[in-house]
């Protein structure tokens, strides 16, 4: 019987476990998690779960009974303290567990921030269920919130808190929000939309110090602006959790380095999800992509390799973000794009931004446009040079564009 151990109760780890159960019916599968909860969906933590009354059962990835039914042993409150790769064992719960194949799916931890004058326990992050519950409890007696970081977590949280009627200020150190993932037009659009909902933005600035007040803090920025806030939330990205891998000599660089099969440099050890720096054949480079889609895709690739089943070429990465009534779906990576083509009506909040490089569509951001998003997935996957004037013709539907492109 093959023994498979998965470290981390994440989207990646859980998807790998259930995929492996289907592919290797008699395998012994154990998942070790340092959390006290069974695995749950993390995206709602900054969105729906923050806006509404909800409990953990509402966002579980799988019902607890399904683990038992599929003979997958889930160990809560069981951090793995070390890996002995020479003897193929892990240490947890004060004992050793043997494995034939080991999957590291440890995800990441929030990038922390120290602020002069602010107690560390007063700086909140949203990475797990307990973080979200702590924030919800503090919001009961709070009116003003400062969010540090203008990425997706920060903006989703800002939207959720405005829905709840809180005063929200977002401060971003870069010269625009979402600067790592979207083009300037999209950044401007999202900032303007948030501002129309009452969010205050401070761009290209950062907090330097703060003074404690009765119900929160008064914070000063590098440019001299003063901000009063009852709550401070930091969302400036994550740091991949790689300590266990580093300790046994696994190659790490911006995550745990893996090949196209999600294998590390130790053959029977794999890494998937936010912690892995994955060689993506389509882009010809290693990429660490933080998304649910990427986590489940890597779980599929990894499981197929372990079970010896054929697997398809990894799909084009895609992502999503919900803010207010805006559903943003992104597909492809806009690395090295040369121009953009906008289709639809920005003013009516239904449009798509297509990123172009070498006469190919390489990525797309679709706002409230599910049809164009689905079409963009096909277009980008085909990776074909096209007549861009056809895409620019707003009189043509996206299906007509694809027909003319013979896709």
């Amino acid at each position: 019987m093959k023994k498979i151990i998965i470290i981390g109760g994440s989207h990646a780890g859980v998807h790998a476990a259930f995929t492996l159960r289907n592919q290797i019916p008699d395998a012994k599968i154990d998942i070790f998690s340092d959390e006290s909860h069974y695995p749950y969906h993390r995206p709602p933590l900054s969105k729906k779960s923050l806006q509404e009354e909800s409990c953990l059962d509402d966002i579980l990835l799988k019902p607890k009974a399904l683990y038992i039914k599929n003979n997958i042993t889930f160990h809560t409150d069981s951090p793995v303290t070390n890996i002995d790769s020479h003897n193929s064992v892990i240490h947890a719960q004060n004992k050793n567990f043997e494995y034939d194949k080991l999957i590291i799916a440890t995800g990441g931890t929030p990038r922390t921030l120290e602020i002069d004058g602010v107690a560390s326990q007063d700086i909140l992050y949203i990475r797990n269920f307990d973080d979200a519950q702590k924030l919800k409890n503090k919001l009961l007696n709070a009116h003003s919130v400062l969010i540090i970081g203008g990425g997706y977590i920060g903006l989703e949280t800002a939207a959720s808190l405005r829905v709840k009627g809180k005063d929200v200020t977002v401060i971003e150190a870069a010269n625009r929000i979402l600067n790592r993932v979207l083009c300037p037009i999209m950044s401007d659009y999202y900032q303007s939309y948030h501002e129309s909902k009452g969010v205050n933005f401070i761009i290209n600035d950062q907090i330097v110090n703060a003074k404690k007040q009765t119900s929160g803090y008064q914070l000063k920025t590098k440019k001299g602006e003063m901000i009063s806030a009852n709550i401070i939330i930091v969302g400036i990205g994550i740091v991949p959790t790689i300590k266990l891998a580093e300790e046994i000599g696994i190659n790490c660089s911006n995550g745990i380095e893996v090949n196209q099969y999600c294998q590390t440099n130790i053959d029977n050890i794999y890494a998937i999800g936010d912690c892995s720096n994955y060689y993506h054949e389509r882009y010809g480079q290693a990429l660490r992509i933080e998304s649910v889609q990427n986590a489940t895709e890597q779980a599929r690739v990894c499981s197929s390799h372990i079970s010896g089943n054929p697997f398809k070429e990894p799909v084009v990465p895609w992502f999503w973000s919900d803010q207010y009534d805006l559903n943003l779906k992104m597909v492809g990576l806009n690395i090295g794009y040369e121009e953009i083509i906008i289709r639809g009506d920005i003013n009516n909040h239904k449009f798509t931004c297509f990123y172009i490089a070498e006469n190919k569509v390489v990525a797309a951001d679709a706002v409230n446009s599910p049809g164009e998003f689905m079409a963009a997935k096909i277009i980008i996957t085909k990776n074909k040079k096209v007549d861009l004037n056809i895409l620019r013709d707003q009189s043509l539907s996206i299906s007509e564009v694809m027909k003319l492109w013979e896709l």
Side-chain angles (χ1 to χ4, degrees):
M1 184 195 313
K2 185 171 285 187
K3 298 176 182 178
I4 302 170
I5 287 178
I6 300 168
I7 305 176
S10 60
H11 286 85
V14 170
H15 193 75
F18 280 86
T19 303
L20 284 163
R21 172 55 68 227
N22 289 331
Q23 294 176 342
I24 313 176
D26 63 345
K28 184 180 188 308
I29 301 174
D30 289 78
I31 305 175
F32 290 82
S33 172
D34 57 5
E35 289 196 61
S36 57
H37 315 294
Y38 269 66
Y40 49 88
H41 293 277
R42 294 179 187 269
L45 297 179
S46 59
K47 297 189 277 287
K48 188 175 180 180
S49 294
L50 197 55
Q51 298 174 31
E52 304 172 359
E53 287 299 321
S54 61
C55 64
L56 185 64
D57 286 346
D58 296 330
I59 58 172
L60 288 178
L61 287 175
K62 306 277 187 183
K64 295 179 184 179
L66 211 54
Y67 294 86
I68 298 171
K69 181 179 178 181
N70 284 274
N71 195 24
I72 295 170
T73 305
F74 193 89
H75 305 262
T76 58
D77 294 312
S78 300
V80 173
T81 54
N82 68 277
I83 301 167
D84 179 352
S85 59
H86 297 292
N87 295 302
S88 294
V89 299
I90 65 157
H91 190 73
Q93 302 170 349
N94 295 316
K95 56 184 178 180
N96 290 330
F97 296 83
E98 296 179 347
Y99 64 83
D100 296 304
K101 302 289 184 180
L102 176 66
I103 302 172
I104 301 174
T106 45
T109 56
R111 193 178 299 278
T112 58
L113 183 68
E114 292 184 2
I115 302 173
D116 183 27
V118 180
S120 60
Q121 66 268 22
D122 288 342
I123 299 176
L124 305 183
Y125 303 86
I126 306 177
R127 181 61 179 173
N128 58 41
F129 180 77
D130 293 338
D131 292 338
Q133 290 302 109
K134 182 179 179 180
L135 173 57
K136 287 176 75 170
N137 291 336
K138 285 186 173 291
L139 284 170
L140 296 174
N141 299 308
H143 182 66
S144 57
V145 181
L146 171 65
I147 298 173
I148 301 174
Y152 287 123
I153 288 292
L155 296 182
E156 289 167 358
T157 303
S160 296
L161 296 184
R162 283 302 297 144
V163 168
K164 293 175 71 69
K166 306 300 179 182
D167 286 343
V168 178
T169 296
V170 174
I171 184 167
E172 168 58 49
N175 60 3
R176 60 184 176 89
I177 62 172
L178 298 167
N179 71 309
R180 292 191 304 112
V181 289
L182 298 181
C183 67
I185 290 175
M186 291 294 291
S187 293
D188 291 345
Y189 169 78
Y190 266 88
Q191 181 171 334
S192 295
Y193 198 84
H194 274 272
E195 287 173 338
S196 75
K197 298 294 185 179
V199 177
N200 177 48
F201 282 90
I202 300 173
I203 304 298
N204 196 24
D205 204 352
Q206 52 192 306
I207 302 296
V208 291
N209 57 48
K211 289 183 180 180
K212 179 73 174 175
Q213 295 181 318
T214 304
S215 60
Y217 289 92
Q218 185 178 61
L219 303 103
K220 183 179 180 181
T221 76
K222 193 173 183 179
K223 293 182 178 179
E225 291 207 44
M226 304 301 294
I227 307 164
S228 293
N230 306 131
I231 293 176
I232 302 168
I233 302 171
V234 171
I236 54 174
I238 68 166
V239 178
T241 304
I242 60 176
K243 184 173 181 289
L244 288 171
E246 284 184 315
E247 288 175 343
I248 58 172
I250 289 176
N251 297 334
C252 296
S253 175
N254 185 31
I256 301 170
E257 295 180 9
V258 296
N259 62 15
Q260 66 268 40
Y261 309 116
C262 297
Q263 278 179 300
T264 69
N265 54 297
I266 299 178
D267 286 350
N268 66 339
I269 301 180
Y270 297 73
I272 57 177
D274 289 358
C275 69
S276 74
N277 196 349
Y278 173 65
Y279 182 81
H280 205 297
E281 289 188 337
R282 178 185 180 88
Y283 298 99
Q285 60 180 296
L287 299 165
R288 192 174 67 79
I289 301 173
E290 299 167 14
S291 74
V292 172
Q293 177 269 334
N294 184 67
T296 54
E297 178 67 13
Q298 288 187 342
R300 179 188 65 81
V301 170
C302 167
S303 302
S304 296
H305 192 257
I306 288 173
S307 63
N309 292 323
F311 66 94
K312 299 181 298 182
E313 170 74 12
V315 300
V316 174
W318 61 272
F319 320 80
W320 80 90
S321 176
D322 292 317
Q323 300 168 42
Y324 308 107
D325 54 351
L326 302 179
N327 173 246
L328 171 63
K329 289 185 177 178
M330 301 145 281
V331 57
L333 302 178
N334 61 18
I335 300 169
Y337 74 91
E338 298 161 356
E339 64 171 304
I340 61 172
I341 295 173
I342 302 289
R343 286 178 56 86
D345 190 343
I346 291 181
N347 294 326
N348 285 330
H349 313 295
K350 187 175 182 180
F351 67 97
T352 302
C353 173
F354 290 89
Y355 296 83
I356 311 299
E358 298 179 348
N359 283 86
K360 297 178 182 179
V361 177
V362 295
D365 305 326
V367 177
N368 294 335
S369 302
E372 294 222 340
F373 167 73
M374 293 302 295
K377 287 177 74 173
I378 296 170
I379 293 167
I380 295 164
T381 299
K382 294 293 185 182
N383 197 31
K384 178 182 175 182
K385 288 190 176 183
V386 292
D387 181 351
L388 296 175
N389 287 325
I390 293 174
L391 186 64
R392 293 188 182 99
D393 188 346
Q394 298 280 349
S395 69
L396 297 172
S397 69
I398 194 65
S399 59
E400 290 172 323
V401 169
M402 294 178 69
K403 186 175 181 179
L404 289 169
W405 283 348
E406 299 181 347
L407 295 177

